[in-house]
Amino acid sequence: FQIVGGFEKLLAAYAKAGGARVAPAHVRLHELCLLAGWYRDAIEGTSPHSPEDQLSHFVNVLRRTIAEGP
């Protein structure tokens, strides 16, 4: 989502591909799950990224999710 309107473009692409509206909260939950897994991998040493970097990404997405609300 590193582009202007990226999140909205992603939701529109999901809707176009599947024909159904995708709730932003569902996308955020999926993103948090992915980031949690990447953090686990970093802790276990199976990722080239540091645990601190992965945790920082997770916290940033979590903050955005909380700010956006349900």
Side-chain angles (χ1 to χ4, degrees):
F1 310 122
Q2 300 297 319
I3 61 171
V4 174
F7 189 68
E8 292 75 19
K9 289 178 182 178
L10 176 68
L11 293 177
Y14 282 159
K16 183 177 179 182
R21 184 182 175 281
V22 177
H26 295 166
V27 176
R28 292 289 187 214
L29 177 60
H30 180 74
E31 187 176 14
L32 286 166
C33 290
L34 283 173
L35 290 169
W38 293 345
Y39 176 58
R40 180 203 59 224
D41 293 346
I43 289 172
E44 293 174 351
T46 59
S47 168
H49 304 285
S50 73
E52 295 81 13
D53 286 345
Q54 295 299 357
L55 183 59
S56 176
H57 291 303
F58 180 87
V59 169
N60 288 338
V61 171
L62 182 58
R63 284 185 181 140
R64 277 197 311 265
T65 303
I66 291 169
E68 291 171 2

